[in-house]
């Protein structure tokens, strides 16, 4: 009769070659029911295996371990084990056991979806690579639940980053991307989250994943003061196709208004024409306090802006946007100082304080110094007489670094252009697209006919 000890020994001895792995797979399938019966005592045996060398056996035992509810104490051990597996597992071994993905997927996918996966694989409608992706996703979903239950999101950041790298290409958005960004937000690991936000995404599986990816990504960029990138990501949520309004789009729109004020100093209430009708109709009404904030900001008076914020403080606080609203106030001071640079060559700190409505020359000096450090203005301060001299942008756009930057930007645009052309050609040949276009066009299109009859030579 098989024992867990003997099975572990088989896993250790039959994981070196393709032939051995095939034999091991047979033993594991025969012992599958036994492993589930012994699931409550399997965790210690996983520590005897190396997920890099024994990925196949590790997966079978791991799947059996996660088939029963765990306590907090067991979750602490399971988090470490899942981390090792996600970081170190070998895809080629995992693909030998595609049916395990359906069992692991039952942790987060409905039973019907699991049956579909089994059917599709048996009918050769999906390949082992896709099933490997489902395995990794299922393990990651379970892993994320464990670290959140332990209130230790930082323990999940690195393993999920490794899992994201293992899945397909950087151009494909999976359901793990928003999960990883959520953990980065909760753990305040903003720089780590930025590592996947630089990739250009061309393929999306589920709309909700795209909404959450852009929303969480926007929040991470806000945390890093990268407002331009944050604005781009939040814009993607607001203008994305949607048949009905959703909570993610509403929260993204609120932050979109605030970031627009911080970065651009203004907000346009007219959304692009490609924005869905659901968003066009509902977002401005639902987020009316933020629209009124933008209108108050456009007046340019600090006192009126602060008065409006104080009146609606509870609303902004309940939306967890009060910190961002305070940055809007700070941006108005900066915007007003920037306007002075367009009018004056020199100005005293006292005059800047009076014009911008700051409390003292010292506070004006702090704002000017911060703006110089951030590259928002170019100026020098004479400490002796308290005079500020505004300068022109010193960048001559002829340094080696600037030329390399411009060249890399041109190369990226050319790559994007080729990618978009290829996608356009692919869509134009898609049968579903052609059928839809054919239904919408009139039966006869006069542009298809020549305006002048052709002569026939007899």
């Amino acid at each position: 009769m098989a024992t867990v000890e003997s099975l572990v020994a088989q896993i250790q001895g039959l994981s070196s070659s393709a032939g051995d792995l095939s034999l091991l797979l047979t033993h594991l399938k025969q012992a599958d029911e036994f492993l589930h019966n012994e699931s409550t005592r399997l965790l210690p045996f996983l520590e005897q295996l190396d997920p890099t060398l024994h990925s196949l056996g590790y997966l079978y035992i791991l799947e059996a371990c996660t088939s029963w509810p765990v306590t907090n104490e067991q979750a602490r051990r399971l988090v470490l084990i899942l981390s090792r597996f996600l970081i170190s597992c070998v895809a080629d071994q995992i693909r030998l056991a595609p049916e395990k993905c359906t069992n692991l997927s039952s942790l987060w996918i409905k039973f019907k979806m699991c049956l579909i996966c089994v059917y599709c694989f048996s009918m050769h409608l999906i390949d082992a690579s896709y099933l490997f992706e489902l395995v990794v996703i299922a393990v990651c979903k379970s892993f994320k639940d464990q670290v959140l239950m332990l209130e230790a999101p930082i323990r999940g950041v690195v393993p999920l980053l490794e899992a994201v790298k293992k899945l397909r290409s950087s151009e494909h958005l999976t359901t793990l991307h928003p999960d990883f960004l959520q953990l980065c937000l909760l753990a305040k690991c903003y720089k780590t989250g930025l590592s996947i936000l630089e990739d250009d995404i061309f393929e999306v599986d589920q709309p909700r994943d795209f909404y959450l990816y852009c929303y969480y990504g926007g929040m991470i960029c806000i945390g890093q003061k990268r407002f331009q990138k944050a604005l781009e990501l939040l814009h993607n949520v607001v203008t994305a196709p949607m048949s009905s309004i959703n909570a993610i789009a509403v929260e993204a729109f609120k932050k979109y208004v605030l970031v627009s004020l911080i970065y651009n100093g203004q907000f346009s209430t007219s959304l692009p024409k490609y924005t869905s009708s659901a968003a066009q109709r509902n977002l401005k009404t639902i987020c009316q306090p933020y629209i009124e904030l933008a209108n108050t900001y456009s007046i340019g008076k600090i006192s009126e802006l602060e008065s409006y914020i104080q009146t609606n403080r509870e609303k902004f606080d309940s939306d967890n946007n009060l910190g961002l609203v305070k940055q809007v106030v700070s941006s108005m001071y900066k915007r007003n100082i920037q306007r002075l640079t367009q009018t004056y060559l020199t100005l005293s700190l006292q005059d800047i304080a009076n014009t911008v409505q700051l409390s003292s020359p010292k506070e004006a000096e702090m704002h000017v110094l911060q703006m110089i450090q951030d590259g928002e203005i170019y100026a020098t301060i004479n400490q002796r007489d308290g005079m500020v001299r505004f300068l022109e942008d010193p960048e001559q756009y002829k340094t080696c670094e600037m030329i390399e930057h411009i060249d890399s930007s041109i190369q990226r645009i050319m790559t994007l252009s080729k990618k978009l052309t290829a996608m356009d050609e692919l869509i134009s040949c898609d049968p579903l697209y052609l059928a839809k276009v054919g239904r919408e066009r009139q039966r006869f299109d006069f542009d298809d006919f020549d305006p002048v009859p052709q002569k026939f030579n007899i």
Side-chain angles (χ1 to χ4, degrees):
M1 182 177 178
T3 63
V4 179
E5 290 80 1
S6 63
L7 192 60
V8 169
Q10 287 180 330
I11 293 171
Q12 292 172 334
L14 297 174
S15 297
S16 56
S17 65
D20 288 343
L21 285 170
S22 180
L23 181 59
L24 175 62
L25 181 60
T26 303
H27 292 314
L28 289 172
K29 287 180 177 180
Q30 293 173 352
D32 195 37
E33 184 179 352
F34 166 73
L35 287 173
H36 280 79
N37 292 335
E38 299 290 327
S39 59
T40 55
R41 69 183 195 93
L42 290 178
L43 275 180
F45 292 97
L46 281 174
E47 297 175 0
Q48 301 177 28
L49 299 175
D50 185 337
T52 303
L53 302 176
H54 314 119
S55 298
L56 180 61
Y58 204 98
L59 172 62
Y60 265 81
I61 297 179
L62 182 61
E63 186 270 328
C65 288
T66 54
S67 63
W68 44 273
V70 296
T71 62
N72 277 3
E73 183 60 35
Q74 292 167 332
R76 289 188 180 91
R77 297 182 63 189
L78 199 56
V79 162
L80 295 175
I81 293 170
L82 285 167
S83 297
R84 290 181 64 202
F85 179 76
L86 292 174
I87 294 172
S88 308
C89 69
V90 177
D92 291 340
Q93 288 195 31
I94 298 299
R95 292 190 181 105
L96 294 174
E99 72 279 358
K100 289 289 103 180
C101 81
T102 58
N103 297 331
L104 277 170
S105 297
S106 64
L107 296 169
W108 67 285
I109 303 177
K110 293 181 179 179
F111 178 66
K112 289 182 180 179
M113 186 61 71
C114 295
L115 293 179
I116 292 172
C117 287
V118 174
Y119 172 76
C120 289
F121 182 75
S122 64
M123 298 297 291
H124 304 288
L125 299 179
I126 57 178
D127 58 16
S129 297
Y130 182 64
L131 283 169
F132 165 70
E133 179 178 324
L134 291 181
V135 172
V136 176
I137 289 174
V139 173
C140 289
K141 291 287 183 179
S142 176
F143 175 69
K144 177 195 166 190
D145 292 342
Q146 304 299 335
V147 295
L148 291 181
M149 183 173 71
L150 296 174
E151 298 181 353
I154 195 170
R155 297 175 66 178
V157 171
V158 173
L160 251 66
L161 177 59
E162 291 298 319
V164 168
K165 292 178 180 178
K166 290 178 185 290
L167 295 183
R168 298 199 182 182
S169 68
S170 60
E171 297 178 352
H172 184 90
L173 181 68
T174 69
T175 190
L176 287 189
H177 283 74
D179 286 347
F180 166 69
L181 293 177
Q182 182 187 13
L183 290 183
C184 289
L185 274 173
L186 294 174
K188 293 183 171 56
C189 297
Y190 302 137
K191 288 186 178 180
T192 308
L194 287 174
S195 61
I196 69 168
L197 292 174
E198 300 299 330
D199 298 327
D200 294 313
I201 301 296
F202 293 99
E203 298 179 52
V204 179
D205 289 336
Q206 298 295 330
R208 185 174 181 274
D209 295 334
F210 178 73
Y211 298 147
L212 288 174
Y213 169 81
C214 292
Y215 179 64
Y216 290 148
M219 293 177 68
I220 284 174
C221 290
I222 290 171
Q224 286 293 101
K225 306 290 186 183
R226 298 185 58 174
F227 293 115
Q228 183 177 10
K229 183 65 176 179
L231 200 62
E232 174 191 329
L233 290 167
L234 295 173
H235 175 87
N236 290 342
V237 184
V238 172
T239 59
M242 61 185 80
S243 57
S244 60
I245 205 68
N246 60 74
I248 304 172
V250 171
E251 295 305 313
F253 184 76
K254 294 174 182 177
K255 289 180 170 59
Y256 179 64
V257 174
L258 298 176
V259 175
S260 295
L261 295 176
I262 294 171
Y263 183 72
N264 293 325
Q266 60 183 356
F267 173 74
S268 175
T269 55
S270 59
L271 295 171
K273 63 180 182 180
Y274 51 81
T275 307
S276 68
S277 57
Q280 295 272 17
R281 287 194 309 267
N282 298 302
L283 284 178
K284 297 174 189 175
T285 305
I286 296 173
C287 306
Q288 190 59 35
Y290 292 84
I291 299 296
E292 293 177 2
L293 174 68
N295 294 334
T296 306
Y297 186 97
S298 63
I299 297 172
K301 295 183 178 180
I302 293 290
S303 57
E304 292 187 19
L305 181 63
E306 289 180 336
S307 175
Y308 178 81
I309 291 173
Q310 190 60 37
T311 304
N312 296 271
R313 184 185 180 89
E314 290 186 7
K315 170 63 178 174
F316 297 135
D317 197 15
S318 63
D319 289 341
N320 294 318
N321 286 329
L322 187 58
L324 208 53
V325 169
K326 291 179 178 179
Q327 293 186 58
V328 169
V329 177
S330 179
S331 74
M332 177 173 277
Y333 287 115
K334 293 182 179 181
R335 202 68 55 185
N336 290 339
I337 292 174
Q338 284 178 330
R339 290 193 185 101
L340 295 177
T341 66
Q342 301 170 7
T343 307
Y344 302 96
L345 290 177
T346 58
L347 203 61
S348 69
L349 290 171
Q350 182 64 59
D351 289 337
I352 293 176
N354 294 339
T355 306
V356 182
Q357 302 176 43
L358 291 168
S359 59
S360 66
K362 187 65 177 176
E363 189 176 355
E365 182 181 3
M366 295 303 297
H367 274 83
V368 171
L369 286 173
Q370 186 62 51
M371 292 178 71
I372 293 172
Q373 182 178 344
D374 296 339
E376 295 172 337
I377 62 171
Y378 302 97
T380 58
I381 301 176
N382 189 327
Q383 297 285 349
R384 186 184 307 168
D385 54 12
M387 296 297 293
V388 179
R389 182 187 177 192
F390 299 117
L391 308 172
E392 296 292 333
D393 184 354
E395 179 60 61
Q396 298 297 314
Y397 298 96
K398 59 183 181 182
T399 61
C400 293
E401 293 79 6
M402 181 55 65
I403 292 172
E404 289 178 1
H405 174 72
I406 294 173
D407 181 66
S408 65
S409 298
I410 292 173
Q411 293 298 326
R412 180 174 179 270
I413 291 172
M414 291 173 63
T415 303
L416 286 175
S417 177
K418 291 178 181 178
K419 188 74 176 179
L420 288 172
T421 301
M423 292 175 67
D424 181 66
E425 292 175 354
L426 188 64
I427 293 173
S428 65
C429 299
D430 186 87
L432 294 176
Y433 170 76
L434 293 174
K436 181 177 176 60
V437 172
R439 288 194 301 269
E440 292 178 351
R441 290 184 61 184
Q442 295 181 0
R443 185 174 180 183
F444 297 105
D445 192 338
F446 289 103
D447 292 337
D448 294 337
F449 297 93
D450 292 327
V452 179
Q454 297 290 329
K455 292 183 180 180
F456 295 90
N457 295 322
I458 300 177

